[in-house]
Amino acid sequence: MASTMCSSSSSCFAWKNYSQKHSLNHRIQNEFIHSSSLNPPETSVVDDGAAKLSSCLLKRRSVVLQSGLVPLVSSLTALGFPEQGLAVVKQGPLAGRVPGLSEPDEQGWRTYRRPDDKSGGHGVGWSPIIPYLFKVYGDWDEVPVSIADLGGTEIDLRFASPKQGRLFVVVAPVRRFADELGDNTTIEEIGTPEKVINAFGPEVIGENVEGKVLSMEVAEHSGRKYYQFELEPPHVLITATAAGNRLYLFCVTGSGLQWKRHYKDLKQISESFRIV
């Protein structure tokens, strides 16, 4: 029988070698298929309604001031405040991410300071971003900003807490507001609190801010002025200031239930924002 299958020892060896290789390849393919079925590649599901909302808001561009102030090109509504009911997914750590969050103090508050060596894609020729800091309470953590973020390079930072709400920092060039603004602009040079909130408020909430500004205050810390606003609906706390050649917008929001339960903490978070 052996002589019938193999005419020579060399051909027998060749057939055996081919059979082993074929069997090995077959096992590898089966293992790959099995592994793929158990561990499917990660995918992201884009809510069609959210996509349409973002597309609509990004097309809305209008000049809301007669003084020459121009709204931010980026729609802060589509970028920072997703429609109620849409999931805010925390991404995993990104390569090169530099932490800046301190350990909790005795009251449970932690301070975030933007690291000096943290990169920021804010255009060729921009000076390094002047660091800022703020305080958060409890389980707040950084949500890395993706390069595919609708906010483009102006969204510098995102934070979120499953219990309390969400926040993000926009760092925008001051020349979005007026060409004559220089490299050491103050928030007062950009405009009064009324002019500033009228300029970017509609981009935050997606509609005119008339009748929605519950409070508007001016605070001063270390010689720098900060405009502080509270808007509703939706529930939004905004702190605005300027440093160097950039406008900083610190926006804090939450759902109705989060606002009701944690308003005091959210207010304290918003008022803690400082340029270092």
Side-chain angles (χ1 to χ4, degrees), residues 22-133:
H22 181 73
S23 177
L24 177 61
N25 289 336
H26 185 67
R27 289 201 307 271
I28 291 174
Q29 290 175 359
N30 286 339
E31 290 173 3
F32 177 78
I33 294 172
H34 180 67
S35 175
S36 298
S37 66
L38 293 178
N39 302 286
E42 295 182 4
T43 59
S44 59
V45 179
V46 180
D47 185 274
D48 184 60
K52 291 179 180 178
L53 174 66
S54 298
S55 175
C56 176
L57 290 172
L58 288 172
K59 291 179 181 177
R60 292 185 57 184
R61 294 291 176 265
S62 61
V63 177
V64 296
L65 294 178
Q66 299 301 321
S67 61
L69 296 182
V70 182
L72 296 173
V73 172
S74 307
S75 171
L76 301 189
T77 306
L79 311 181
F81 305 120
E83 183 182 8
Q84 287 297 328
L86 298 182
V88 178
V89 181
K90 178 179 175 181
Q91 305 176 48
L94 297 181
R97 175 182 169 193
V98 181
L101 196 60
S102 71
E103 292 297 321
D105 62 16
E106 295 179 356
Q107 287 75 39
W109 287 88
R110 297 186 292 169
T111 299
Y112 175 87
R113 183 190 187 280
R114 189 187 195 280
D116 295 330
D117 54 353
K118 180 179 180 180
S119 61
H122 293 265
V124 177
W126 282 94
S127 59
I129 294 176
I130 298 174
Y132 53 80
L133 61 81

Side-chain angles (χ1 to χ4, degrees), residues 80-85 88 140 159-168 204 231-238 251-263 266-267 269:
F81 305 120
E83 183 182 8
Q84 287 297 328
V88 178
W140 288 80
F159 259 65
S161 163
K163 294 181 180 179
Q164 293 187 320
R166 308 179 302 281
L167 68 81
F168 71 92
V204 173
L231 283 68
E232 68 173 26
H235 303 289
V236 183
L237 293 166
I238 302 170
C251 306
V252 182
T253 186
S255 67
L257 185 58
Q258 290 171 332
W259 204 258
K260 182 178 180 179
R261 291 180 175 178
H262 304 288
Y263 173 79
L266 295 174
K267 180 76 169 175
I269 290 171

Side-chain angles (χ1 to χ4, degrees), residues 67-275:
S67 61
L69 296 182
V70 182
L72 296 173
V73 172
S74 307
S75 171
L76 301 189
T77 306
L79 311 181
F81 305 120
E83 183 182 8
Q84 287 297 328
L86 298 182
V88 178
V89 181
K90 178 179 175 181
Q91 305 176 48
L94 297 181
R97 175 182 169 193
V98 181
L101 196 60
S102 71
E103 292 297 321
D105 62 16
E106 295 179 356
Q107 287 75 39
W109 287 88
R110 297 186 292 169
T111 299
Y112 175 87
R113 183 190 187 280
R114 189 187 195 280
D116 295 330
D117 54 353
K118 180 179 180 180
S119 61
H122 293 265
V124 177
W126 282 94
S127 59
I129 294 176
I130 298 174
Y132 53 80
L133 61 81
F134 56 87
K135 293 184 177 182
V136 291
Y137 181 82
D139 59 353
W140 288 80
D141 198 8
E142 185 177 357
V143 181
V145 179
S146 168
I147 59 174
D149 195 306
L150 292 176
T153 58
E154 292 180 356
I155 297 292
D156 188 60
L157 180 78
R158 290 187 187 277
F159 259 65
S161 163
K163 294 181 180 179
Q164 293 187 320
R166 308 179 302 281
L167 68 81
F168 71 92
V169 181
V170 172
V171 183
V174 295
R175 289 186 177 86
R176 294 270 174 119
F177 294 88
D179 291 336
E180 65 271 14
L181 294 174
D183 291 333
N184 193 24
T185 301
T186 64
I187 191 71
E188 305 97 286
E189 292 176 309
I190 293 176
T192 63
E194 292 83 359
K195 289 181 179 179
V196 170
I197 194 61
N198 285 330
F200 68 80
E203 298 287 345
V204 173
I205 64 174
E207 56 185 293
N208 197 297
V209 300
E210 185 178 357
K212 297 181 181 296
V213 182
L214 298 183
S215 65
M216 184 163 29
E217 301 175 358
V218 178
E220 184 170 340
H221 304 283
S222 301
R224 188 183 306 277
K225 289 187 177 180
Y226 297 79
Y227 294 168
Q228 298 171 340
F229 309 95
E230 180 176 345
L231 283 68
E232 68 173 26
H235 303 289
V236 183
L237 293 166
I238 302 170
T239 297
T241 193
N245 54 9
R246 294 185 177 92
L247 171 71
Y248 291 74
L249 305 176
F250 184 63
C251 306
V252 182
T253 186
S255 67
L257 185 58
Q258 290 171 332
W259 204 258
K260 182 178 180 179
R261 291 180 175 178
H262 304 288
Y263 173 79
K264 183 177 179 180
D265 288 341
L266 295 174
K267 180 76 169 175
Q268 192 166 341
I269 290 171
S270 177
E271 294 178 351
S272 71
F273 184 76
R274 302 282 190 277
I275 300 296

